[in-house]
């Protein structure tokens, strides 16, 4: 069933779509919510117990602060891509959708990794510790779901793209990924990026366990850098500079031997 203009105005008791602030369509057998593209002022949307499979229309609701989607047909966490640019979104209820999978921890970490401004997820408050953990354990969604064909004049979203698929290309080359993370830190500290031939610490001989540990440390550092002011960053810059000089001297001594 399609959510129509008439249904929206009736349920919201409004005369114009632009004036709608709250919309409750719980258990209405909805599958098409494209009308949400025409709700610029909407703040709260309740769509629980329906058949919604795509969140693309909601990406246009820039004033949205609460979104309830429990028990729908959202098959891929890649649909979160459409919520990443909603600056006011603080409450999301996504439980009991196929995209939640069989690992609730991985699901929660992935949602918080991509929507770090959430204050409540699935009726459970979000903690600062969870947000830090999500940077390490959650999967980052970097693109929208793959489009396959059309339905009712609109592109149909494929449910086959999972979060792990979107990250596969980046993770396929651990060397490039680690260099990228390290150079992000160096850039924030005003330092020149390392070149591949100088990045000897990321050797192919490095184990998966040590590489994962290194990436976790880098992610934690990136999170902490966001909390520092100019003075704090300057201290980090000086410390890193001294550390690099010491490591380079050690490398030169080892080469001489």
């Amino acid at each position: 069933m399609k959510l129509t203009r008439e249904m929206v105005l009736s349920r919201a008791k409004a005369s114009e779509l632009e004036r709608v602030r709250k919309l409750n369509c719980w258990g209405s057998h909805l599958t098409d919510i494209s009308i949400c593209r025409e709700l610029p002022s909407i703040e709260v949307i309740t769509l629980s117990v329906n058949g919604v499979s795509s969140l693309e229309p909601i990406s246009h609701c820039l004033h949205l602060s609460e979104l309830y989607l429990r028990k729908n047909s959202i098959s891929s966490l890649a649909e979160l891509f459409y919520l990443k640019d909603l600056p006011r979104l603080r409450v999301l209820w996504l439980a009991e959708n196929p995209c939640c999978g069989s690992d609730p921890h991985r699901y929660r970490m992935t949602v918080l990794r991509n929507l770090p401004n959430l204050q409540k997820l699935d009726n459970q408050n979000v903690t600062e510790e969870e947000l830090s953990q999500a940077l390490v354990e959650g999967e980052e969604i970097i693109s929208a779901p793959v489009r396959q064909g059309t339905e009712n004049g609109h592109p149909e979203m494929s449910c086959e793209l999972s979060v792990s698929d979107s990250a596969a290309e980046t993770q396929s080359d651990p060397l490039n990924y680690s260099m990228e993370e390290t150079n992000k830190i160096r850039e924030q500290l005003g330092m020149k990026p390392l070149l591949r031939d100088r990045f000897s610490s990321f050797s192919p001989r490095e184990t998966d366990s040590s590489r994962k540990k290194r990436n976790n440390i880098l992610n934690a550092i990136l999170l902490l850098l966001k909390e520092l002011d100019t003075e704090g960053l300057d201290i980090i810059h000086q410390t890193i500079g001294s550390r690099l000089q010491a490591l380079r001297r050690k490398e030169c001594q080892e080469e001489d031997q």
Side-chain angles (χ1 to χ4, degrees), residues 41-53:
S41 303
I42 193 75
E43 297 173 1
V44 179
I45 300 179
T46 300
L47 292 169
S48 295
V49 194
N50 280 287
V52 176
S53 60

Side-chain angles (χ1 to χ4, degrees), residues 9 12 26 42 54 65 89 91 102 115 122 125 138 147 149 180 184 187 217 225 249 255:
L9 296 179
W26 189 96
I42 193 75
S54 173
S65 61
L89 186 62
V91 177
S102 58
L115 303 176
D122 296 339
N125 290 332
R147 300 172 185 270
E180 179 184 357
K184 282 183 182 179
E187 180 181 358
I217 294 174
L225 285 177
R249 286 196 297 269
E255 290 177 358

Side-chain angles (χ1 to χ4, degrees), residues 53-66:
S53 60
S54 173
L55 301 183
E56 188 278 332
I58 295 176
S59 66
H60 299 263
C61 305
L62 299 182
H63 286 81
L64 190 66
S65 61
E66 299 181 25

Side-chain angles (χ1 to χ4, degrees), residues 69-113:
L69 291 163
R70 186 174 63 91
K71 288 189 177 181
N72 272 274
S73 301
I74 301 168
S75 298
S76 172
L77 284 176
E79 292 290 337
L80 292 174
F81 178 84
Y82 297 117
L83 306 182
K84 295 181 71 171
D85 292 328
L86 300 182
R88 302 185 181 184
L89 186 62
R90 296 294 182 270
V91 177
L92 175 64
W93 199 329
L94 192 61
E96 299 179 77
N97 274 274
C99 64
C100 298
S102 58
D103 187 342
H105 178 75
R106 174 183 175 276
Y107 152 73
R108 189 171 178 87
M109 290 295 99
T110 295
V111 174
L112 295 182
R113 170 75 181 267

Side-chain angles (χ1 to χ4, degrees), residues 14-30:
S15 57
E16 300 176 1
L17 293 179
E18 292 76 11
R19 294 178 177 272
V20 175
R21 297 288 190 277
K22 296 183 179 181
L23 178 64
N24 188 340
C25 293
W26 189 96
S28 300
H29 307 288
L30 297 174

Side-chain angles (χ1 to χ4, degrees), residues 2 102 111 114 161 244 247 255:
K2 181 176 182 178
S102 58
V111 174
N114 292 277
L161 178 63
L244 285 173
L247 289 175
E255 290 177 358

